[in-house]
Amino acid sequence: MSVMECAPVSYKVPEFVIKEIAEIAFNPGIILIGGPVGCGKTNTINFFLSEVKDRPTFTSRFIFRIDSRAMLAAGKSVKVAVDELLLKNDGKILLVVIDDVYEPNAITAALALANKGHTVVGVSESASCNSMLGVLAGALAGTKDSEKTFVLKEILTHLNLLIQQPSHCPPEYNYLHLSSERKQILISLLGQQGLNYFFRESLSALLEVA
């Protein structure tokens, strides 16, 4: 099935990454994990889920995983699948992992879940944090900068954590923990300086290496 309850397996991931994700996973919003093919994105997700699923504060969460690429190949809509999840689990707090989140219906579904107070972990192939956000905005908005800017602001409003995994998976991960203050700085820069400046300067300037 394309939508399933997760059965995570263990994998060695830097402790600070798991701690960062675990702390934020209890908040509504979006966590994005990107990186090149084969860098270990899926293993990071699986290990994170295996770490948090038995914590007392996490037992009220209902975890599901959606493979948007498989659903697209089968002619199914991620948005429809998410709508069904919300209907079947009305009143419950969900954590939904969406693989290949760059598909337009998947991005729309992630934003809908975040708007309703749920947590979304989106996984995407990407070369950098900037390129990941650019791909997501472009997939949903098309080529117009004004539309991309609108979509980026919407994503940033809900984005809690952005992790870019390197190809060789060393102990250091590039990540951006979006506190409310930093999120507002990014949104302000996007509005004042425009899309090109945002991708060229502002996000890179705020990127941390943990």
Side-chain angles (χ1 to χ4, degrees):
M1 292 177 64
S2 295
V3 180
M4 65 194 80
E5 292 192 15
C6 295
V9 295
S10 183
Y11 177 79
K12 186 172 177 58
V13 175
E15 185 178 342
F16 81 87
V17 175
I18 299 303
K19 183 179 179 182
E20 190 84 15
I21 302 175
E23 289 177 356
I24 294 171
F26 298 102
N27 302 321
I30 298 172
I31 297 169
L32 290 176
I33 298 178
V37 176
C39 73
K41 298 183 294 295
T42 299
N43 287 327
T44 296
I45 292 293
N46 289 340
F47 184 60
F48 152 66
L49 291 173
S50 70
E51 285 289 297
V52 303
K53 67 182 178 67
D54 294 325
R55 295 186 184 187
T57 52
F58 205 79
T59 53
S60 62
R61 298 268 171 158
F62 291 79
I63 304 174
F64 297 92
R65 191 160 194 165
I66 298 174
D67 186 339
S68 64
R69 183 178 295 180
M71 294 196 72
L72 186 64
K76 298 179 180 178
S77 167
V78 176
K79 186 177 182 305
V80 171
V82 166
D83 288 344
E84 291 175 354
L85 274 182
L86 291 172
L87 187 63
K88 291 178 181 178
N89 296 278
D90 186 36
K92 299 175 182 176
I93 304 173
L94 306 182
L95 185 147
V96 181
V97 177
I98 302 180
D99 294 295
D100 298 310
V101 74
Y102 54 79
E103 196 271 320
N105 268 319
I107 303 167
T108 302
L111 291 171
L113 284 163
N115 269 317
K116 292 181 180 293
H118 303 290
T119 304
V120 184
V121 181
V123 186
S124 176
E125 291 178 18
S126 60
S128 67
C129 290
N130 281 0
S131 69
M132 185 181 353
L133 287 174
V135 167
L136 294 180
L140 195 59
T143 58
K144 292 183 179 179
D145 275 2
S146 59
E147 294 178 3
K148 283 186 181 180
T149 299
F150 177 82
V151 173
L152 271 174
K153 286 183 178 180
E154 180 74 6
I155 292 173
L156 284 173
T157 298
H158 298 288
L159 190 57
N160 293 330
L161 180 67
L162 184 60
I163 294 176
Q164 172 67 22
Q165 293 189 191
S167 57
H168 54 291
C169 264
E172 299 83 22
Y173 278 42
N174 288 331
Y175 80 100
L176 183 67
H177 180 173
L178 293 169
S179 64
S180 58
E181 179 181 346
R182 181 170 293 172
K183 191 181 300 187
Q184 191 55 51
I185 290 172
L186 290 174
I187 292 174
S188 297
L189 283 171
L190 182 61
Q192 294 169 10
Q193 304 292 342
L195 196 66
N196 291 332
Y197 179 88
F198 176 83
F199 282 125
R200 190 176 67 252
E201 304 289 346
S202 60
L203 185 59
S204 297
L206 290 168
L207 187 64
E208 295 179 2
V209 177

